Amino acid sequence: MRTEQKKNANPNTHFRRTTHHWRSAHTETQTQAGYLQTQTDQLDSAVPYSQTDHPDSAALHAPAANVSDSASCESVQHTPGHTARHNYMQRSTALYLSALLLLTACVISLLAGKYPLSLEKILAGDAMQLQVLLTLRIPRTLMAVLGGFALGAAGFVFQTVFRNPLAAPDMIGVSSGASAGAAFAILVLPASAAAVTLSAFAGGLLAVGIALGLASAAGGYGGGLGLYRYSRKTASSSDDEMHSHQYSDKSNTSSHRWTYSRRYTGGAASAGSGSIVLAGIAVHSLAQTVLMILKLTADPERQLASIEYWIMGSLNAITLSRIPFYCTVCAAGLAGLFLLHRQIILLSVDEAEARMLGVPVGRMRLLILLLATLVVASVISVTGVISFIGLLAPHIARLLMRDNRLHTLTLSGLLGGVLLTAADILTRTVTASELPVSIFTSLLGAPFLLYLIMSGNGGKNNAE
Amino acid sequence: MLNSTQRNSGTDTAHRQLSSSPFHADHSSTRVSASRYDAPAAESHTCLQVSSLSAGYGRSQILKDVSFCAKQGEISGLLGPNGCGKTTLLRALCRQLPFTGSCLLNGRPLEQMTARQLAKQISYIPQRSGIAISIPVIDVVLMGFNPVLSLLAQPSRAQKEKALKALRAVGLESYAGQDYQTLSEGQKQLCILARTIVEDASLLLLDEPESSLDFPHRHRSMELLTEIIRGQDSSHADSHTSAEDTSNERTAFYGKAALVTLHDPQLALKYCSRLILLKNGVCTAILQPAKDSLPDMEDALSEIYGPIRLRAFEEKGCLSLILLPRV
C-alpha cells in the first residue's frame, strides 16, 4: 500500500531533519523541496509562491523542476507528494463528476414525467409544453436540487458538530416536529397545501427550539460526560447562586472568588453537545407522541392517509407559488453554513481545546445548529420527510474525499442533490402513479455506500 | 535549605520576592547548571502569577492553595505522581474548572479576560488532542490561527506558509497533506506542537507533551519549546508587520512562558528553569535546577517520587543531572 511505503521510506529523512536547527530548513533536498511545492499548490486556493514575498521561493521552485525531470528516480515515485497530488486529482475529479451528474439529473428531471417534454417542442414554442415546464417541472427540479443539496450539507454539519457518524437532523427533533406540525394542519387548519407547509415549518423549528432551550437550561456540559456532570450541577445549584453573588460583590478586587460563574457554565452560551442530544431525543419522542395522538383522532379515510403520505415525502405537489419563501430561507441558511465552514470543523475538536482555540463553543454550536435546522425545516416542510440523504450523502462524500474540509461539505451537498433529483425522477417514471421519494433515495444511496465500503475505495482503515 | 526552595509556603509575599529577584545567579562551582539554556536576560517578567489557587471537580477539591509564578522566557515544569493535580491545575488556568484564589496573566486577572482574549494569550495542549475526524495535518496547524482570524475569514497565504514552516520545524512537513488520523500518537503530539508555534500565545500550557514521543523527539520537542518561548523562531519575525494579525494584545509586549507537566524528571531537570513539585494537590517545593544545591533537590524530589538519588554528570564542561532510584 502506498501509505505504508511512504511511512517506511520516511524515517531517514525525518530523523535527519530533526537534527537540524529548525530555522535552517532552507537546505532542502530536491525531493522534499518538490514536495513542499506540491503541498503549497494543494492548499485550498492553490496559490503559487510569489517571488517578491519570499526570498527562498526561487530555491523552492528550482528543485521542483528537477523533480519532474527525474521522474524515473525511484524515490520520487514514493514521495508523499506524489500521493498527495494523486489524491488531489481524485478529489477534484469527484467534485466535478458529481456536479456533472447533478446537471444531467437536472435536465432529465425537467423533461421526464407523466407528461414528457421534449427540447424541440419547447424551442418550437409549444404553449402546453412551456406551461408544464414553468409551473411544474422547474419548481420541482429546483426543489429537488436545492433540497437534496441542503439535506446533504446539513447532514455533514450535524455529523461533524456532534462528532457522531449517525447524527442526523432527526436527532434534535426537526423532522418529527415538522411531521407533527403537518398533521396538526391537516386535522385542524382549513385544507390548503400552504397551511400544511407553514405548519410543518413552524413545528420543526419549534421542536428544535424547545430542544436547544432545554439543553441550555440544563447547563454547559458537553461530550460524553453530559449525564454525569448534570447530576453534579443540580447538586450544587445552591452554591451556584451563592458564589455568583460573591463574584459580583468583589469583582473589582484581583483576589476575588468566582465559582460557577456564567462564563463557563450555564446559560445559552454553552450548551454542551451531550445535553443537546439528550434534549433532542426527549423532544423527538414527545413530538412522536403528539403525532400519534393526532393520528388517532384523524379520520382514517382522508386525513390519516394524507398524514401518512406527507410523512413518506414527495415532491409531487410542488408548484411555483409555494416555494419562493422556503427556497430563500434554505439558500440563506446554506450560505451561512458555507461561510462558517471553518468553525464547523473547529467544533468537531474537543470542547476544551476548541475554546482555547478561540471558538465560542456554546454560542457557535447553537448558531450552526439553528442554521442547519432552518435549512432542513425549510426543505422538509415542502417535501415531507425525506430519509437517508442526510445520512448517506456525507458518508459517501467522506469516503471519496477522505477528509473534512470545505470541498467535503460541497460534495455532500452535490451528492445529496444528485440523490434526491435522481430519486425524484424515478418516482414519476417507474410506475404510473407517484411513489414516495424516500424509497428511491435509500435504494440508490445505500448500495453505493456499501460498494464504497466494500471496494476499499476510501476510508482511513484501508489507507493504513 | 536554600531560600529559593520554598517549602509549601504558599504566601503571597514570598512569591513576590521570588519574582522580583533576578533569575540567574552567578555560577559557583557548587551549583549545577542543569539547563543548557540559560536565561536570556537577567530580568524576566512574571508572565503568570498564581496565588493560593484551589480547584477541583464539583465538591471534591483536588488542588489546595497552590502558589507559584511562571516567568517569560522560561519553561516551568509541573512534576508529581499520577493524580496529584497537574492536569487539574492546567485546566483551572484555562478557566475550564471553577477555582478560587488569584491568577494574574501579564498582570491581569484571568477571570476578567474575555474568552477570546484568553484564547489569544493562552495556548493549551491537552494530553490527547480531541481531533476525532479526518482532516489534513496542515488544517490542524491552521486551526492555531483561529484566535486572530475573524469569524468568516480564511487563513491567508502568509499564514499557510507559516503553518508549513511550523510543520517543518517539528519535522512533519512531508505529512502536511496527510490525514491527521493516520499519524502515530507521537506524530500527533508534534503536529499539535506545530499548532502551538503558529498560535503565538504568551502562555503555553502543555499537558505531558512528551508522553508519546521517542527519545530523540522528546529532546527535540523540548528544545523546540525552548526556542518558541525564547522567541527565536523566525516564523514570527514578520508576524507583527503583516497587516492581518497586528494585535497589540499579543506577544509584542510580553515574552512567552511555558507551564509543562512532565512525567520524566530527567527531562524536566534538563530543560525547565523552575520545577513546581505537587503531591496530593499541594505544592511541596519549587526548585530552580540552575540555583539549588544537589542535596536540596534530591530531598525535594524524594518527597514526591520516593527515595531517589540525584547525581551530576559532567561532559565537555556541561553538567547534566541524572536521577536514579535509591539502592
Side-chain angles (χ1 to χ4, degrees), chain A residues 333-375:
Chain A
L334 275 176
L337 288 180
F338 272 84
L339 283 173
L340 288 168
H341 77 272
R342 211 166 47 81
Q343 305 295 320
I344 293 171
I345 303 295
L346 276 164
L347 278 180
S348 76
V349 177
D350 179 62
E351 194 167 332
E353 206 179 332
R355 198 167 292 145
M356 294 316 288
L357 287 169
V359 184
V361 176
R363 254 170 297 161
M364 186 56 65
R365 187 160 42 206
L366 265 188
L367 175 66
I368 285 169
L369 287 183
L370 280 178
L371 282 176
T373 304
L374 209 61
V375 163

mmCIF file of all heavy atoms in Angstrom, chain A residues 333-375:
data_model
loop_
_atom_site.group_PDB
_atom_site.id
_atom_site.type_symbol
_atom_site.label_atom_id
_atom_site.label_comp_id
_atom_site.label_asym_id
_atom_site.label_seq_id
_atom_site.Cartn_x
_atom_site.Cartn_y
_atom_site.Cartn_z
ATOM 1 N N GLY A 333 -29.734 29.971 4.702
ATOM 2 C CA GLY A 333 -29.132 29.107 5.714
ATOM 3 C C GLY A 333 -27.890 28.404 5.194
ATOM 4 O O GLY A 333 -26.860 28.325 5.872
ATOM 5 N N LEU A 334 -27.987 27.927 3.950
ATOM 6 C CA LEU A 334 -26.837 27.245 3.346
ATOM 7 C C LEU A 334 -25.652 28.198 3.214
ATOM 8 O O LEU A 334 -24.507 27.827 3.503
ATOM 9 C CB LEU A 334 -27.210 26.713 1.964
ATOM 10 C CG LEU A 334 -27.891 25.353 1.933
ATOM 11 C CD1 LEU A 334 -28.278 25.003 0.516
ATOM 12 C CD2 LEU A 334 -26.959 24.285 2.492
ATOM 13 N N ALA A 335 -25.952 29.437 2.788
ATOM 14 C CA ALA A 335 -24.871 30.416 2.643
ATOM 15 C C ALA A 335 -24.182 30.623 3.983
ATOM 16 O O ALA A 335 -22.950 30.650 4.066
ATOM 17 C CB ALA A 335 -25.435 31.731 2.114
ATOM 18 N N GLY A 336 -24.989 30.722 5.039
ATOM 19 C CA GLY A 336 -24.418 30.886 6.370
ATOM 20 C C GLY A 336 -23.528 29.713 6.743
ATOM 21 O O GLY A 336 -22.417 29.893 7.253
ATOM 22 N N LEU A 337 -23.988 28.510 6.466
ATOM 23 C CA LEU A 337 -23.204 27.316 6.809
ATOM 24 C C LEU A 337 -21.887 27.291 6.036
ATOM 25 O O LEU A 337 -20.838 26.943 6.586
ATOM 26 C CB LEU A 337 -24.003 26.046 6.514
ATOM 27 C CG LEU A 337 -25.164 25.751 7.455
ATOM 28 C CD1 LEU A 337 -25.861 24.469 7.045
ATOM 29 C CD2 LEU A 337 -24.670 25.627 8.885
ATOM 30 N N PHE A 338 -21.943 27.659 4.765
ATOM 31 C CA PHE A 338 -20.708 27.628 3.982
ATOM 32 C C PHE A 338 -19.736 28.693 4.457
ATOM 33 O O PHE A 338 -18.526 28.476 4.469
ATOM 34 C CB PHE A 338 -21.007 27.772 2.484
ATOM 35 C CG PHE A 338 -21.276 26.452 1.831
ATOM 36 C CD1 PHE A 338 -22.533 25.878 1.874
ATOM 37 C CD2 PHE A 338 -20.247 25.750 1.226
ATOM 38 C CE1 PHE A 338 -22.771 24.637 1.319
ATOM 39 C CE2 PHE A 338 -20.465 24.511 0.657
ATOM 40 C CZ PHE A 338 -21.739 23.954 0.705
ATOM 41 N N LEU A 339 -20.283 29.852 4.851
ATOM 42 C CA LEU A 339 -19.388 30.898 5.357
ATOM 43 C C LEU A 339 -18.731 30.458 6.661
ATOM 44 O O LEU A 339 -17.590 30.801 6.941
ATOM 45 C CB LEU A 339 -20.171 32.191 5.581
ATOM 46 C CG LEU A 339 -20.500 32.983 4.321
ATOM 47 C CD1 LEU A 339 -21.419 34.151 4.664
ATOM 48 C CD2 LEU A 339 -19.227 33.492 3.653
ATOM 49 N N LEU A 340 -19.454 29.693 7.455
ATOM 50 C CA LEU A 340 -18.947 29.296 8.774
ATOM 51 C C LEU A 340 -18.247 27.936 8.738
ATOM 52 O O LEU A 340 -18.030 27.345 9.788
ATOM 53 C CB LEU A 340 -20.098 29.240 9.775
ATOM 54 C CG LEU A 340 -20.684 30.579 10.207
ATOM 55 C CD1 LEU A 340 -21.980 30.377 10.964
ATOM 56 C CD2 LEU A 340 -19.694 31.332 11.072
ATOM 57 N N HIS A 341 -17.884 27.448 7.557
ATOM 58 C CA HIS A 341 -17.405 26.069 7.496
ATOM 59 C C HIS A 341 -16.164 25.834 8.352
ATOM 60 O O HIS A 341 -15.982 24.762 8.914
ATOM 61 C CB HIS A 341 -17.117 25.654 6.047
ATOM 62 C CG HIS A 341 -15.847 26.196 5.504
ATOM 63 N ND1 HIS A 341 -15.755 27.421 4.889
ATOM 64 C CD2 HIS A 341 -14.592 25.688 5.498
ATOM 65 C CE1 HIS A 341 -14.513 27.625 4.525
ATOM 66 N NE2 HIS A 341 -13.782 26.606 4.875
ATOM 67 N N ARG A 342 -15.330 26.850 8.513
ATOM 68 C CA ARG A 342 -14.121 26.681 9.324
ATOM 69 C C ARG A 342 -14.509 26.435 10.791
ATOM 70 O O ARG A 342 -13.911 25.608 11.482
ATOM 71 C CB ARG A 342 -13.266 27.937 9.206
ATOM 72 C CG ARG A 342 -11.784 27.703 9.317
ATOM 73 C CD ARG A 342 -11.011 28.913 8.850
ATOM 74 N NE ARG A 342 -11.503 30.156 9.408
ATOM 75 C CZ ARG A 342 -11.202 30.603 10.632
ATOM 76 N NH1 ARG A 342 -10.397 29.913 11.397
ATOM 77 N NH2 ARG A 342 -11.692 31.731 11.085
ATOM 78 N N GLN A 343 -15.527 27.166 11.240
ATOM 79 C CA GLN A 343 -15.981 26.994 12.619
ATOM 80 C C GLN A 343 -16.639 25.619 12.808
ATOM 81 O O GLN A 343 -16.547 25.034 13.880
ATOM 82 C CB GLN A 343 -16.967 28.100 12.997
ATOM 83 C CG GLN A 343 -16.439 29.497 12.783
ATOM 84 C CD GLN A 343 -15.271 29.823 13.690
ATOM 85 O OE1 GLN A 343 -15.264 29.462 14.856
ATOM 86 N NE2 GLN A 343 -14.260 30.472 13.143
ATOM 87 N N ILE A 344 -17.311 25.140 11.773
ATOM 88 C CA ILE A 344 -17.952 23.824 11.866
ATOM 89 C C ILE A 344 -16.904 22.755 12.123
ATOM 90 O O ILE A 344 -17.055 21.894 12.983
ATOM 91 C CB ILE A 344 -18.743 23.519 10.581
ATOM 92 C CG1 ILE A 344 -19.933 24.461 10.452
ATOM 93 C CG2 ILE A 344 -19.238 22.062 10.577
ATOM 94 C CD1 ILE A 344 -20.639 24.398 9.125
ATOM 95 N N ILE A 345 -15.790 22.842 11.374
ATOM 96 C CA ILE A 345 -14.713 21.867 11.567
ATOM 97 C C ILE A 345 -14.123 22.025 12.971
ATOM 98 O O ILE A 345 -13.853 21.037 13.662
ATOM 99 C CB ILE A 345 -13.620 22.044 10.496
ATOM 100 C CG1 ILE A 345 -14.194 21.915 9.093
ATOM 101 C CG2 ILE A 345 -12.485 21.057 10.707
ATOM 102 C CD1 ILE A 345 -14.741 20.569 8.742
ATOM 103 N N LEU A 346 -13.951 23.274 13.408
ATOM 104 C CA LEU A 346 -13.364 23.504 14.737
ATOM 105 C C LEU A 346 -14.262 22.957 15.846
ATOM 106 O O LEU A 346 -13.771 22.542 16.893
ATOM 107 C CB LEU A 346 -13.136 25.001 14.955
ATOM 108 C CG LEU A 346 -11.826 25.539 14.386
ATOM 109 C CD1 LEU A 346 -11.867 27.047 14.301
ATOM 110 C CD2 LEU A 346 -10.651 25.107 15.238
ATOM 111 N N LEU A 347 -15.564 22.952 15.614
ATOM 112 C CA LEU A 347 -16.476 22.433 16.636
ATOM 113 C C LEU A 347 -16.327 20.930 16.807
ATOM 114 O O LEU A 347 -16.770 20.379 17.806
ATOM 115 C CB LEU A 347 -17.924 22.766 16.272
ATOM 116 C CG LEU A 347 -18.402 24.157 16.636
ATOM 117 C CD1 LEU A 347 -19.836 24.339 16.221
ATOM 118 C CD2 LEU A 347 -18.270 24.385 18.129
ATOM 119 N N SER A 348 -15.736 20.266 15.829
ATOM 120 C CA SER A 348 -15.565 18.824 15.966
ATOM 121 C C SER A 348 -14.403 18.505 16.895
ATOM 122 O O SER A 348 -14.232 17.371 17.319
ATOM 123 C CB SER A 348 -15.305 18.193 14.601
ATOM 124 O OG SER A 348 -13.987 18.455 14.198
ATOM 125 N N VAL A 349 -13.604 19.506 17.227
ATOM 126 C CA VAL A 349 -12.494 19.309 18.154
ATOM 127 C C VAL A 349 -13.067 19.271 19.566
ATOM 128 O O VAL A 349 -14.135 19.823 19.830
ATOM 129 C CB VAL A 349 -11.483 20.465 18.003
ATOM 130 C CG1 VAL A 349 -10.358 20.337 18.992
ATOM 131 C CG2 VAL A 349 -10.940 20.490 16.596
ATOM 132 N N ASP A 350 -12.362 18.600 20.447
ATOM 133 C CA ASP A 350 -12.734 18.520 21.847
ATOM 134 C C ASP A 350 -13.096 19.903 22.385
ATOM 135 O O ASP A 350 -12.442 20.885 22.085
ATOM 136 C CB ASP A 350 -11.541 17.948 22.617
ATOM 137 C CG ASP A 350 -11.828 17.847 24.083
ATOM 138 O OD1 ASP A 350 -12.752 17.115 24.430
ATOM 139 O OD2 ASP A 350 -11.132 18.503 24.866
ATOM 140 N N GLU A 351 -14.138 19.957 23.191
ATOM 141 C CA GLU A 351 -14.712 21.248 23.566
ATOM 142 C C GLU A 351 -13.710 22.180 24.243
ATOM 143 O O GLU A 351 -13.602 23.357 23.895
ATOM 144 C CB GLU A 351 -15.911 21.002 24.484
ATOM 145 C CG GLU A 351 -16.771 22.224 24.649
ATOM 146 C CD GLU A 351 -18.102 21.897 25.299
ATOM 147 O OE1 GLU A 351 -18.566 20.756 25.147
ATOM 148 O OE2 GLU A 351 -18.657 22.790 25.937
ATOM 149 N N ALA A 352 -12.951 21.644 25.185
ATOM 150 C CA ALA A 352 -11.998 22.476 25.915
ATOM 151 C C ALA A 352 -10.928 23.016 24.965
ATOM 152 O O ALA A 352 -10.543 24.184 25.025
ATOM 153 C CB ALA A 352 -11.345 21.658 27.023
ATOM 154 N N GLU A 353 -10.477 22.144 24.079
ATOM 155 C CA GLU A 353 -9.433 22.539 23.133
ATOM 156 C C GLU A 353 -9.969 23.604 22.184
ATOM 157 O O GLU A 353 -9.291 24.597 21.904
ATOM 158 C CB GLU A 353 -9.002 21.291 22.356
ATOM 159 C CG GLU A 353 -7.608 21.349 21.818
ATOM 160 C CD GLU A 353 -7.281 20.054 21.099
ATOM 161 O OE1 GLU A 353 -7.843 19.006 21.456
ATOM 162 O OE2 GLU A 353 -6.461 20.106 20.179
ATOM 163 N N ALA A 354 -11.193 23.405 21.703
ATOM 164 C CA ALA A 354 -11.784 24.369 20.778
ATOM 165 C C ALA A 354 -11.913 25.724 21.445
ATOM 166 O O ALA A 354 -11.667 26.758 20.828
ATOM 167 C CB ALA A 354 -13.150 23.879 20.309
ATOM 168 N N ARG A 355 -12.284 25.731 22.716
ATOM 169 C CA ARG A 355 -12.439 27.000 23.406
ATOM 170 C C ARG A 355 -11.104 27.730 23.488
ATOM 171 O O ARG A 355 -11.027 28.943 23.316
ATOM 172 C CB ARG A 355 -13.013 26.762 24.800
ATOM 173 C CG ARG A 355 -13.596 28.002 25.405
ATOM 174 C CD ARG A 355 -14.426 27.688 26.620
ATOM 175 N NE ARG A 355 -15.619 26.958 26.270
ATOM 176 C CZ ARG A 355 -16.149 26.017 27.042
ATOM 177 N NH1 ARG A 355 -15.573 25.687 28.159
ATOM 178 N NH2 ARG A 355 -17.252 25.405 26.676
ATOM 179 N N MET A 356 -10.031 26.976 23.757
ATOM 180 C CA MET A 356 -8.719 27.619 23.827
ATOM 181 C C MET A 356 -8.192 27.982 22.446
ATOM 182 O O MET A 356 -7.173 28.636 22.329
ATOM 183 C CB MET A 356 -7.723 26.710 24.556
ATOM 184 C CG MET A 356 -8.052 26.493 26.017
ATOM 185 S SD MET A 356 -8.535 27.996 26.896
ATOM 186 C CE MET A 356 -6.959 28.837 27.014
ATOM 187 N N LEU A 357 -8.861 27.499 21.400
ATOM 188 C CA LEU A 357 -8.520 27.956 20.049
ATOM 189 C C LEU A 357 -9.390 29.146 19.663
ATOM 190 O O LEU A 357 -9.455 29.531 18.499
ATOM 191 C CB LEU A 357 -8.703 26.821 19.041
ATOM 192 C CG LEU A 357 -7.656 25.724 19.081
ATOM 193 C CD1 LEU A 357 -8.078 24.544 18.235
ATOM 194 C CD2 LEU A 357 -6.306 26.241 18.621
ATOM 195 N N GLY A 358 -10.078 29.700 20.650
ATOM 196 C CA GLY A 358 -10.821 30.927 20.393
ATOM 197 C C GLY A 358 -12.198 30.722 19.801
ATOM 198 O O GLY A 358 -12.763 31.651 19.251
ATOM 199 N N VAL A 359 -12.742 29.523 19.909
ATOM 200 C CA VAL A 359 -14.091 29.291 19.402
ATOM 201 C C VAL A 359 -15.069 29.467 20.562
ATOM 202 O O VAL A 359 -14.936 28.793 21.568
ATOM 203 C CB VAL A 359 -14.239 27.862 18.841
ATOM 204 C CG1 VAL A 359 -15.622 27.684 18.238
ATOM 205 C CG2 VAL A 359 -13.168 27.584 17.826
ATOM 206 N N PRO A 360 -16.014 30.385 20.446
ATOM 207 C CA PRO A 360 -17.044 30.479 21.486
ATOM 208 C C PRO A 360 -17.982 29.287 21.355
ATOM 209 O O PRO A 360 -19.055 29.375 20.750
ATOM 210 C CB PRO A 360 -17.750 31.795 21.179
ATOM 211 C CG PRO A 360 -17.450 32.102 19.766
ATOM 212 C CD PRO A 360 -16.210 31.359 19.377
ATOM 213 N N VAL A 361 -17.559 28.152 21.902
ATOM 214 C CA VAL A 361 -18.139 26.856 21.553
ATOM 215 C C VAL A 361 -19.663 26.822 21.654
ATOM 216 O O VAL A 361 -20.348 26.480 20.696
ATOM 217 C CB VAL A 361 -17.537 25.733 22.435
ATOM 218 C CG1 VAL A 361 -18.197 24.410 22.160
ATOM 219 C CG2 VAL A 361 -16.041 25.637 22.193
ATOM 220 N N GLY A 362 -20.187 27.219 22.819
ATOM 221 C CA GLY A 362 -21.626 27.099 23.029
ATOM 222 C C GLY A 362 -22.428 27.919 22.037
ATOM 223 O O GLY A 362 -23.333 27.424 21.377
ATOM 224 N N ARG A 363 -22.063 29.192 21.913
ATOM 225 C CA ARG A 363 -22.821 30.079 21.036
ATOM 226 C C ARG A 363 -22.689 29.650 19.584
ATOM 227 O O ARG A 363 -23.651 29.647 18.826
ATOM 228 C CB ARG A 363 -22.315 31.509 21.203
ATOM 229 C CG ARG A 363 -23.272 32.376 21.988
ATOM 230 C CD ARG A 363 -22.637 33.696 22.330
ATOM 231 N NE ARG A 363 -21.480 33.526 23.198
ATOM 232 C CZ ARG A 363 -20.533 34.447 23.371
ATOM 233 N NH1 ARG A 363 -20.591 35.574 22.712
ATOM 234 N NH2 ARG A 363 -19.520 34.237 24.187
ATOM 235 N N MET A 364 -21.456 29.281 19.208
ATOM 236 C CA MET A 364 -21.232 28.899 17.814
ATOM 237 C C MET A 364 -22.017 27.635 17.471
ATOM 238 O O MET A 364 -22.614 27.529 16.406
ATOM 239 C CB MET A 364 -19.731 28.676 17.598
ATOM 240 C CG MET A 364 -19.329 28.420 16.177
ATOM 241 S SD MET A 364 -19.869 29.716 15.075
ATOM 242 C CE MET A 364 -18.908 31.094 15.700
ATOM 243 N N ARG A 365 -22.040 26.696 18.406
ATOM 244 C CA ARG A 365 -22.769 25.462 18.145
ATOM 245 C C ARG A 365 -24.260 25.741 17.997
ATOM 246 O O ARG A 365 -24.917 25.222 17.095
ATOM 247 C CB ARG A 365 -22.521 24.465 19.279
ATOM 248 C CG ARG A 365 -23.114 23.110 18.992
ATOM 249 C CD ARG A 365 -22.481 22.036 19.822
ATOM 250 N NE ARG A 365 -22.258 22.439 21.189
ATOM 251 C CZ ARG A 365 -21.323 21.933 21.969
ATOM 252 N NH1 ARG A 365 -20.513 21.027 21.519
ATOM 253 N NH2 ARG A 365 -21.192 22.342 23.208
ATOM 254 N N LEU A 366 -24.779 26.613 18.866
ATOM 255 C CA LEU A 366 -26.193 26.982 18.755
ATOM 256 C C LEU A 366 -26.478 27.608 17.395
ATOM 257 O O LEU A 366 -27.436 27.249 16.721
ATOM 258 C CB LEU A 366 -26.550 27.984 19.850
ATOM 259 C CG LEU A 366 -27.143 27.440 21.131
ATOM 260 C CD1 LEU A 366 -27.609 28.573 22.011
ATOM 261 C CD2 LEU A 366 -28.309 26.535 20.819
ATOM 262 N N LEU A 367 -25.627 28.548 17.002
ATOM 263 C CA LEU A 367 -25.838 29.257 15.735
ATOM 264 C C LEU A 367 -25.825 28.278 14.570
ATOM 265 O O LEU A 367 -26.719 28.297 13.713
ATOM 266 C CB LEU A 367 -24.734 30.311 15.552
ATOM 267 C CG LEU A 367 -24.746 31.043 14.210
ATOM 268 C CD1 LEU A 367 -26.000 31.885 14.094
ATOM 269 C CD2 LEU A 367 -23.517 31.927 14.069
ATOM 270 N N ILE A 368 -24.836 27.396 14.561
ATOM 271 C CA ILE A 368 -24.705 26.479 13.429
ATOM 272 C C ILE A 368 -25.849 25.468 13.412
ATOM 273 O O ILE A 368 -26.404 25.168 12.355
ATOM 274 C CB ILE A 368 -23.322 25.803 13.469
ATOM 275 C CG1 ILE A 368 -22.281 26.812 13.007
ATOM 276 C CG2 ILE A 368 -23.281 24.575 12.576
ATOM 277 C CD1 ILE A 368 -20.872 26.408 13.226
ATOM 278 N N LEU A 369 -26.240 24.994 14.592
ATOM 279 C CA LEU A 369 -27.368 24.061 14.636
ATOM 280 C C LEU A 369 -28.653 24.737 14.185
ATOM 281 O O LEU A 369 -29.468 24.148 13.479
ATOM 282 C CB LEU A 369 -27.542 23.506 16.049
ATOM 283 C CG LEU A 369 -26.500 22.497 16.504
ATOM 284 C CD1 LEU A 369 -26.832 21.982 17.886
ATOM 285 C CD2 LEU A 369 -26.434 21.337 15.522
ATOM 286 N N LEU A 370 -28.831 25.999 14.567
ATOM 287 C CA LEU A 370 -30.038 26.715 14.154
ATOM 288 C C LEU A 370 -30.057 26.902 12.642
ATOM 289 O O LEU A 370 -31.083 26.709 11.993
ATOM 290 C CB LEU A 370 -30.127 28.067 14.861
ATOM 291 C CG LEU A 370 -30.664 28.004 16.293
ATOM 292 C CD1 LEU A 370 -30.661 29.377 16.937
ATOM 293 C CD2 LEU A 370 -32.080 27.436 16.308
ATOM 294 N N LEU A 371 -28.894 27.255 12.079
ATOM 295 C CA LEU A 371 -28.820 27.420 10.621
ATOM 296 C C LEU A 371 -29.142 26.102 9.923
ATOM 297 O O LEU A 371 -29.930 26.061 8.977
ATOM 298 C CB LEU A 371 -27.428 27.904 10.204
ATOM 299 C CG LEU A 371 -27.128 29.379 10.408
ATOM 300 C CD1 LEU A 371 -25.686 29.685 10.051
ATOM 301 C CD2 LEU A 371 -28.059 30.227 9.552
ATOM 302 N N ALA A 372 -28.536 25.025 10.404
ATOM 303 C CA ALA A 372 -28.757 23.719 9.772
ATOM 304 C C ALA A 372 -30.214 23.304 9.905
ATOM 305 O O ALA A 372 -30.806 22.756 8.971
ATOM 306 C CB ALA A 372 -27.842 22.675 10.409
ATOM 307 N N THR A 373 -30.803 23.597 11.061
ATOM 308 C CA THR A 373 -32.210 23.261 11.272
ATOM 309 C C THR A 373 -33.106 24.047 10.332
ATOM 310 O O THR A 373 -34.046 23.508 9.740
ATOM 311 C CB THR A 373 -32.616 23.584 12.717
ATOM 312 O OG1 THR A 373 -31.745 22.893 13.582
ATOM 313 C CG2 THR A 373 -34.031 23.156 12.978
ATOM 314 N N LEU A 374 -32.805 25.336 10.196
ATOM 315 C CA LEU A 374 -33.573 26.201 9.307
ATOM 316 C C LEU A 374 -33.566 25.638 7.896
ATOM 317 O O LEU A 374 -34.595 25.552 7.217
ATOM 318 C CB LEU A 374 -32.930 27.594 9.318
ATOM 319 C CG LEU A 374 -33.840 28.783 9.060
ATOM 320 C CD1 LEU A 374 -34.910 28.854 10.123
ATOM 321 C CD2 LEU A 374 -33.020 30.051 9.033
ATOM 322 N N VAL A 375 -32.372 25.220 7.467
ATOM 323 C CA VAL A 375 -32.205 24.667 6.133
ATOM 324 C C VAL A 375 -33.057 23.415 5.966
ATOM 325 O O VAL A 375 -33.822 23.269 5.011
ATOM 326 C CB VAL A 375 -30.709 24.357 5.908
ATOM 327 C CG1 VAL A 375 -30.518 23.425 4.755
ATOM 328 C CG2 VAL A 375 -29.932 25.638 5.694
#
